[in-house]
Amino acid sequence: NAGVTQTPKFQVLKTGQSMTLQCAQDMNHNSMYWYRQDPGMGLRLIYYSASEGTTDKGEVPNGYNVSRLNKREFSLRLESAAPSQTSVYFCASSDLRANTGELFFGEGSRLTVL
Amino acid sequence: SQQGEEDPQALSIQEGENATMNCSYKTSINNLQWYRQNSGRGLVHLILIRSNEREKHSGRLRVTLDTSKKSSSLLITASRAADTASYFCATDDNYGQNFVFGPGTRLSVLP
């Protein structure tokens, strides 16, 4: 089983460029999440999607947009990248109906904005 | 703002010793989870403890929860070099839909 797959794994952008991070899960989970991880800050939630067709802002949504394309896929878009968005981005999924609350993470996407 | 805060920020021990990490949080929770992250990898779930539980075991892991003090601890017994990683606690929000992570504890187990 692939679990949660993120692409790309590495990306370098110039300030002002746009890009989309892709995430797909094959566990039939309803909930999906995008986090960013910065040194000493832990993981901060950018956006989440509790179910197909719904998205909600997390702690740090500014500068990002998301799309829950279908149950499997949840993409994160940077419309105009800024150096402050240099970070490692993690996608995660969960089946809250199972009441286990366990998050399954992808391997991360390392983004550098110059 | 972060819900969970791990303590210490970094911990270095010898192989075979026990490692204890603590997590404090601010608001009421439904459950608390611990995750592990190896360098350059994604997070992996270790254990979940519910608000009505006080202690839970899984292999060499022992987690305690004190809701009156809003704190939890993760004990790794008989540590191995392979336990070297960062460990994070995560708490759910009031709606049980979001998970808030602390900054983590970096554990180094020296052979």
Side-chain angles (χ1 to χ4, degrees):
Chain A
N1 288 336
V4 178
T5 304
Q6 294 180 231
T7 57
K9 287 185 169 50
F10 300 93
Q11 184 72 50
V12 178
L13 293 177
K14 294 181 180 178
T15 297
Q17 288 185 319
S18 62
M19 77 159 298
T20 299
L21 300 177
Q22 307 284 356
C23 175
Q25 53 93 8
D26 62 3
M27 295 171 283
N28 202 36
H29 287 165
N30 283 318
S31 301
M32 297 186 73
Y33 309 80
W34 277 106
Y35 288 90
R36 61 178 287 174
Q37 184 176 33
D38 302 293
M41 298 289 291
L43 278 78
R44 291 182 292 170
L45 182 65
I46 305 171
Y47 271 93
Y48 70 99
S49 171
S51 61
E52 186 179 354
T54 68
T55 60
D56 286 284
K57 295 178 181 179
E59 181 184 356
V60 288
N62 291 345
Y64 305 96
N65 286 303
V66 291
S67 295
R68 184 72 183 268
L69 305 170
N70 47 55
K71 192 170 185 179
R72 290 187 64 249
E73 298 172 293
F74 189 38
S75 63
L76 178 72
R77 182 161 178 84
L78 287 69
E79 291 291 352
S80 179
S84 61
Q85 294 178 304
T86 293
S87 188
V88 181
Y89 292 85
F90 287 97
C91 178
S93 70
S94 179
D95 185 0
L96 294 180
R97 292 174 306 172
N99 204 29
T100 61
E102 178 180 352
L103 286 168
F104 293 82
F105 283 85
E107 290 295 298
S109 298
R110 286 149 184 82
L111 175 65
T112 301
V113 183
L114 303 175
Chain B
S1 61
Q2 289 175 340
Q3 167 78 306
E5 291 278 341
E6 293 91 347
D7 170 60
Q9 290 186 339
L11 178 62
S12 185
I13 61 174
Q14 295 293 132
E15 218 169 12
E17 294 181 337
N18 295 342
T20 300
M21 289 159 270
N22 303 298
C23 170
S24 60
Y25 57 92
K26 297 175 183 175
T27 62
S28 61
I29 60 172
N30 296 309
N31 63 63
L32 184 144
Q33 305 179 53
W34 285 91
Y35 287 81
R36 165 195 169 121
Q37 183 182 33
N38 286 9
S39 180
R41 305 296 299 273
L43 279 74
V44 175
H45 182 263
L46 293 176
I47 195 165
L48 177 150
I49 186 165
R50 301 192 189 284
S51 59
N52 61 352
E53 297 175 313
R54 292 296 167 258
E55 187 171 311
K56 205 162 183 179
H57 296 256
S58 177
R60 293 184 296 113
L61 305 180
R62 172 178 169 254
V63 169
T64 62
L65 179 64
D66 186 334
T67 53
S68 67
K69 295 181 179 178
K70 291 186 171 59
S71 68
S72 173
S73 68
L74 170 67
L75 169 67
I76 304 174
T77 60
S79 63
R80 307 165 182 169
D83 294 327
T84 294
S86 291
Y87 292 83
F88 297 87
C89 69
T91 53
D92 62 337
D93 66 3
N94 291 335
Y95 305 102
Q97 290 188 347
N98 290 340
F99 301 89
V100 182
F101 288 80
T105 292
R106 292 190 314 278
L107 173 66
S108 298
V109 181
L110 307 175

